[in-house]
Every structure is written in C-alpha cells, then in structure tokens.
Amino acid sequence: MDYEGDADFDRVPPSFDRVKNAARNVETQGFNPGLIVLLVVGGLILLFLVGNYALYVYAQKTLPPKKKKPISKKKMKKERLKQGVSAPGE
C-alpha cells in the first residue's frame, strides 16, 4: 500500500490556476469605473432632489400666500344673477 506513485495530488489542474489568477487580478484592479460614474450621477440626482425639497419647504414657510385675482364686474353680475339676487341699478 505505497502511495508514492500518486504523489501528484499536490499539483492543481491548469484550469484552476486560471481561476486563481483571475481572482488576483480582480483584487488588484480596484473600483469599477462604471460603478464610480453611477454613484456620482446618482449622488448628484439625489442631492438635486433633496435641495429642491428643502427650498420648497423654506418657501412655504417664508413667502406670503398668493393673492387672489380680483373678480371682474361682469363675473360678479353673473354670479349674483345665478344666485337670484338682482344687481343694483337694474
């Protein structure tokens, strides 16, 4: 029962050597440039949306409410006629 004839067990098939080399290359490459661009663009869009929301909240608190447009005399007459009240002078 001498196994010295099978002393090849410490050798790794060449296909596994390629996998190890590929794994080493991924570690040394660093960040993916596409991922960096995606994060920067996503961050800018998020910053834009948060800034708009902050400005909206600030404007709602500080600006006075909008003034309503004055109603023309013609419209006032029409409204009174609809309600059944005659306009003065008629």
Side-chain angles (χ1 to χ4, degrees):
M1 297 237 149
D2 190 13
Y3 291 106
E4 284 189 3
D6 292 334
D8 298 345
F9 64 89
D10 62 345
R11 281 194 269 169
V12 180
S15 61
F16 288 113
D17 283 338
R18 282 189 233 131
V19 173
K20 284 183 183 178
N21 290 339
R24 279 192 211 123
N25 290 343
V26 169
E27 290 174 12
T28 58
Q29 262 184 350
F31 289 110
N32 183 358
L35 179 66
I36 294 172
V37 170
L38 184 68
L39 288 174
V40 168
V41 170
L44 289 174
I45 290 172
L46 187 64
L47 183 68
F48 175 75
L49 293 174
V50 169
N52 273 348
Y53 179 73
L55 284 173
Y56 171 76
V57 170
Y58 174 74
Q60 290 297 316
K61 289 180 181 177
T62 58
L63 292 176
K66 275 184 158 182
K67 292 183 179 178
K68 293 183 179 178
K69 288 184 179 179
I71 301 174
S72 69
K73 290 181 182 178
K74 272 186 177 181
K75 284 187 181 178
M76 283 179 63
K77 276 186 180 180
K78 282 185 182 179
E79 286 296 319
R80 285 188 185 161
L81 288 174
K82 281 182 186 176
Q83 294 173 2
V85 179
S86 62
E90 287 186 2

